[in-house]
Amino acid sequence: MTAAETRPRVLVLGGGFAGVGAAQKLTDAHAEVVLVDRHDYHTFQPLLYQLATGLLETTGVGHSLRDLLEHHGNATIHKASVTGIDLDARTVTFAEIAPISYDYLVLGLGAEVNFFGTEGAAEHAFPMYTLPNAVRLKDHLLERWEAADRDPRLAEDGALNVVVVGGGPTGVETAGAVAELYRGDLAKDYRDVREDDARITLVEAGPELFPMFKPKLRDYTEKALADRTVEVRTDTAVASVSPTRVTLKSGDELKAHTLVWGAGLQGNDLVRSLGLELQRGNRIGVGPDLSLPEHPEVYVVGDVAAIVDAKTRQVLPQLGSVALQSGEHAGETIGRRIAGKDAKPFKYRDKGTMATIGRGAAVVQMLGGKTMTGLKAQVAWGTVHLALLPTNEDRAKAVVDWVGAATTHERVGRITVESE
Ligand SMILES: Cc1cc2nc3c(=O)[nH]c(=O)nc-3n(C[C@H](O)[C@H](O)[C@H](O)COP(=O)(O)OP(=O)(O)OC[C@H]3O[C@@H](n4cnc5c(N)ncnc54)[C@H](O)[C@@H]3O)c2cc1C
């Protein structure tokens, strides 16, 4: 019998902030740690829009999972898709590898896009949730500019127009970044295109952008978007999408060959098959230590969990810092339990709510109500997000790219690499 066989097995599903955080905290535990993800990389979702708009390269947003756990001697990694989880049999099945049984399970499978049944969205919209999503959007935008360069009638048909759906951080950040790519780089690359033939419209079904922020931050955001020529339409919902048109619920039709979907998320669809009572947005309710009351050997962390904040009694938002801290807590707690110690309740350390709109424009709202805007807020945003990046090498790369873009106003990633 090998040493691994005598140790309890902790199976970690998902290599996002939550799963990686859990696996890293188990490094000193007397446990065999197995992490499975359908990709061989960890995706840094907060920077996807920077990849989609040529500010960062693929390796600035995706990081090899094997590299991240290289120095964790008790961890192994498999690239495989989870197909089923049997909580009673304590076994998980996969599409590509044999089933794996566990003593402890960390469920960190994240969330996925929710099109709310919008006609044509699944086929034609560009969601912003995965690394392939961001690369696909970037390639599509660049391809439309090349197509309009060859045939200027396409620009009149809306080839360069972009509609971004969703007035939350994903929508606002993407709209601001696309506008800077358009006005700062592509307008110079393609001198014959008129500004009016390359419009960016941000639509939000509710009455305002950024409902989670104070009114003065919302006003600042609207102005920063307007300065970047983004047209904001609130109280506006999308009814259907086709490859070249976006139809609004009002009946208006917008000429646009690109619709970016940043409007909705739901917990990973797999959770529906667990036989658990789910909360709003397909999320799994957890106990104070993040385990399932019915299955104390199962910890649910990150976007797929509905975690009630011990301080505010509110369900925590789906954020990178919540995912990382909850994953780390699960890893630490499992380590404690294996060592015969008690589980401790999870306490979230809130670093503030923040979003960036463009170069030198960002908003930050701290837990106590203090706010920041502009460059100061962007530095705070950068600091918090650099801390979330998995390695020092990634931090260094991001800083070089951000400083480069801030000083030269150039986005280096505006090339397309076709597969042969
Ligand atoms: C565009 C965007 C911008 C964001 N900006 C910010 C921000 O500025 N600040 C912030 O704090 N948060 C931000 N967030 C939220 C933050 O990124 C998420 O809360 C965080 O990534 C959740 O981490 P997670 O580990 O729970 O899930 P994920 O990061 O989604 O990881 C889940 C993992 O599970 C894997 N997986 C899923 N299904 C399967 C399967 N069937 N089989 C195998 N593997 C599977 C996936 O490949 C993935 O690696 C943003 C999110 C998006 C989409």
Side-chain angles (χ1 to χ4, degrees):
M1 189 176 275
T2 66
E5 283 167 287
T6 62
R7 291 178 289 172
R9 180 180 294 145
V10 184
L11 178 58
V12 180
L13 300 181
F17 290 109
V20 168
Q24 287 181 332
K25 285 290 172 185
L26 281 158
T27 191
D28 295 325
H30 183 67
E32 177 200 358
V33 179
V34 181
L35 185 145
V36 187
D37 196 292
R38 63 180 158 208
H39 301 299
D40 60 0
Y41 54 81
H42 162 82
T43 304
F44 195 88
Q45 287 175 345
L47 297 180
L48 282 174
Y49 75 94
Q50 298 198 1
L51 171 62
T53 55
L55 193 58
L56 289 177
E57 294 174 59
T58 318
T59 50
V61 181
H63 195 114
S64 156
L65 283 168
R66 293 179 197 282
D67 186 49
L68 286 181
L69 294 176
E70 189 187 358
H71 302 295
H72 298 259
N74 62 351
T76 47
I77 295 163
H78 297 297
K79 180 183 172 199
S81 296
V82 179
T83 51
I85 302 168
D86 187 333
L87 294 178
D88 294 324
R90 299 190 182 185
T91 303
V92 177
T93 50
F94 303 90
E96 303 87 350
I97 58 175
I100 300 179
S101 58
Y102 59 80
D103 299 291
Y104 292 93
L105 180 72
V106 178
L107 188 54
L109 290 173
E112 54 194 32
V113 64
N114 185 354
F115 292 118
F116 300 109
T118 306
E119 194 190 322
E123 299 81 14
H124 308 300
F126 288 80
M128 277 290 286
Y129 208 67
T130 64
L131 207 137
N133 288 162
V135 172
R136 181 172 155 250
L137 174 60
K138 184 180 84 160
D139 287 351
H140 172 76
L141 292 176
L142 296 178
E143 185 278 326
R144 287 291 79 192
W145 279 78
E146 288 297 345
D149 182 54
R150 289 191 292 265
D151 178 359
R153 284 170 304 177
L154 281 174
E156 286 161 35
D157 187 55
L160 309 179
N161 291 346
V162 177
V163 174
V164 181
V165 185
T170 301
V172 169
E173 291 184 340
T174 307
V178 170
E180 287 188 351
L181 170 71
Y182 268 33
R183 307 297 173 226
D185 296 279
L186 299 183
K188 277 188 268 159
D189 290 349
Y190 304 85
R191 287 157 210 249
D192 297 336
V193 172
R194 295 180 312 129
E195 192 167 294
D196 259 10
D197 283 339
R199 296 167 63 167
I200 298 124
T201 310
L202 176 63
V203 302
E204 162 57 43
E208 62 210 1
L209 303 179
F210 278 172
M212 70 291 268
F213 287 114
K214 289 185 171 183
K216 68 175 177 187
L217 297 189
R218 294 205 286 268
D219 294 346
Y220 172 90
T221 302
E222 286 200 16
K223 179 164 182 321
L225 286 171
D227 289 347
R228 287 163 178 73
T229 71
V230 176
E231 186 190 335
V232 175
R233 294 175 69 157
T234 48
D235 290 315
T236 302
V238 172
S240 67
V241 192
S242 77
T244 57
R245 296 290 180 270
V246 176
T247 307
L248 303 176
K249 288 216 169 127
S250 64
D252 284 1
E253 191 182 73
L254 307 179
K255 286 181 183 176
H257 292 200
T258 312
L259 176 120
V260 181
W261 193 271
L265 289 178
Q266 56 187 347
N268 193 303
D269 205 45
L270 266 172
V271 304
R272 289 181 195 272
S273 60
L274 294 177
L276 300 169
E277 200 178 310
L278 297 179
Q279 302 201 8
R280 201 165 153 245
N282 245 4
R283 290 160 87 183
I284 302 172
V286 290
D289 72 339
L290 309 181
S291 68
L292 290 183
E294 317 80 326
H295 289 277
E297 71 286 2
V298 177
Y299 285 77
V300 186
V301 287
D303 276 4
V304 76
I307 303 170
V308 175
D309 188 3
K311 259 192 222 146
T312 64
R313 309 306 307 158
Q314 303 287 313
V315 173
L316 288 168
Q318 285 159 304
L319 284 177
S321 43
V322 177
L324 182 65
Q325 290 179 36
S326 61
E328 288 181 345
H329 180 85
E332 274 166 7
T333 305
I334 293 170
R336 287 179 65 82
R337 285 179 58 188
I338 290 172
K341 297 179 188 160
D342 288 343
K344 285 187 180 163
F346 173 63
K347 286 187 194 141
Y348 177 57
R349 296 177 303 282
D350 193 328
K351 303 215 170 102
T353 310
M354 52 194 74
T356 183
I357 304 137
R359 215 174 12 248
V363 289
V364 172
Q365 186 170 303
M366 304 305 289
L367 189 59
K370 194 177 160 220
T371 62
M372 275 186 257
T373 55
L375 193 57
K376 218 161 99 186
Q378 193 162 44
V379 171
W381 179 93
T383 310
V384 167
H385 286 81
L386 282 178
L388 280 175
L389 275 167
T391 65
N392 284 335
E393 189 194 346
D394 290 318
R395 289 180 197 112
K397 260 196 308 213
V399 169
V400 168
D401 287 336
W402 291 344
V403 171
T407 47
T408 63
H409 294 195
E410 287 275 330
R411 286 166 188 260
V412 288
R414 48 189 210 278
I415 59 166
T416 34
V417 184
E418 294 89 3
S419 50
E420 289 175 339

